[in-house]
């Protein structure tokens, strides 16, 4: 793919599967990704803020030290994905099938996981503060090493999650229960 354009112009990449690529230190601000699927791709130190991958199949992709504010993965199939040390404020996974996904040391403040099918997800040392989990089966997801302050769970999403005593207290308070010592 060769693009000879003014660097101030917006480059449009559309109707393509990006397969077996590594992107290092790329700011996608002036790059539009339209109808793009990702397979065996690594993003290192990239800025993908406000990009949309809605309705796409994304498999075996790594996001390392990326800025992903406002990225949309609505109605996606995400399989074997790793998010490591990423800034993912306002990221949206609503309606997605999430399988074999790892979130490690990410900032996911105010993220949305609504009506997601979740299977084999690993989360460690993330900040999920003020995120929303609705109608998503989170059974056996271990939140103990994660910040879940202000997170909103519906009853269905709460069933079977693993939390520590402090997190349990926050969840109960968010449900309107008054906890006194």
């Amino acid at each position: 793919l060769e693009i000879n354009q003014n660097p101030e112009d917006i480059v449009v990449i559309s109707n393509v599967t990006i397969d077996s690529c590594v992107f290092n230190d790329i700011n996608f601000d002036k790059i539009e990704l339209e109808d793009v699927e990702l397979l065996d791709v690594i993003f290192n130190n990239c800025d993908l803020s406000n990009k949309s991958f809605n309705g796409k199949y994304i498999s075996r992709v790594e996001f390392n030290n990326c800025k992903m504010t406002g990225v949309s993965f609505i109605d996606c199939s995400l399989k074997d994905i790793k998010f490591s040390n990423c800034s993912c404020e306002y990221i949206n996974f609503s309606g997605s099938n999430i399988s074999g996904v790892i979130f490690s040391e990410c900032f996911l403040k105010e993220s949305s996981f609504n009506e997601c099918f979740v299977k084999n997800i690993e989360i460690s040392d993330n900040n999920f503060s003020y995120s929303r989990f609705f109608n998503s089966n989170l059974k056996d997801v271990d939140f103990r090493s994660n910040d879940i302050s202000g997170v909103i769970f519906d009853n269905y999403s709460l069933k079977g999650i693993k939390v520590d005593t402090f997190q349990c207290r926050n969840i109960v308070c968010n449900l309107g229960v008054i906890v006194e010592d």
Side-chain angles (χ1 to χ4, degrees), residues 3-181:
I3 300 171
N4 295 319
Q5 288 187 317
N6 181 337
E8 296 301 315
D9 292 343
I10 292 178
V11 175
V12 178
I13 300 172
S14 64
N15 300 315
V16 66
T17 297
I18 299 174
D19 189 352
S20 303
C21 289
V22 176
F23 295 98
N24 290 311
D25 303 307
I26 305 292
N27 183 340
F28 284 83
D29 185 45
K30 299 269 186 198
I31 302 170
E32 290 298 324
L33 301 172
E34 297 177 356
D35 200 25
V36 172
E37 294 187 347
L38 304 172
L39 181 64
D40 296 315
V41 177
I42 299 174
F43 293 92
N44 293 313
N45 304 305
C46 293
D47 187 344
L48 292 155
S49 294
N50 300 310
K51 297 301 167 199
S52 173
F53 298 97
N54 295 344
K56 297 299 160 213
Y57 177 76
I58 300 169
S59 181
R60 298 184 305 271
V61 175
E62 290 185 27
F63 299 96
N64 302 306
N65 301 304
C66 291
K67 184 176 179 190
M68 302 181 73
T69 302
V71 172
S72 181
F73 289 104
I74 296 172
D75 296 324
C76 283
S77 179
L78 299 161
K79 183 167 175 48
D80 302 323
I81 310 295
K82 183 176 183 185
F83 296 87
S84 178
N85 198 33
C86 294
S87 178
C88 303
E89 283 183 285
Y90 312 109
I91 197 166
N92 191 340
F93 294 97
S94 295
S96 290
N97 183 336
I98 302 170
S99 177
V101 175
I102 298 171
F103 291 96
S104 177
E105 299 180 11
C106 292
F107 188 69
L108 293 137
K109 184 177 180 184
E110 297 190 50
S111 56
S112 295
F113 293 82
N114 302 318
E115 298 184 358
C116 293
F117 174 80
V118 177
K119 181 179 178 187
N120 298 326
I121 184 173
E122 295 179 31
I123 59 174
S124 62
D125 303 313
N126 300 290
N127 183 331
F128 285 100
S129 59
Y130 303 101
S131 294
R132 292 163 304 284
F133 294 88
F134 291 115
N135 202 27
S136 296
N137 182 356
L138 302 174
K139 186 177 185 297
D140 298 324
V141 176
D142 190 344
F143 284 92
R144 290 179 289 183
S145 68
N146 300 273
D147 179 354
I148 59 169
S149 56
V151 170
I152 301 171
F153 293 98
D154 69 344
N155 288 340
Y156 178 76
S157 300
L158 275 174
K159 289 183 180 180
I161 68 170
K162 296 177 183 175
V163 294
D164 63 27
T165 305
F166 179 74
Q167 292 169 320
C168 184
R169 183 182 183 112
N170 284 333
I171 291 170
V172 169
C173 289
N174 285 341
L175 295 173
V177 176
I178 299 168
V179 179
E180 294 180 357
D181 290 326

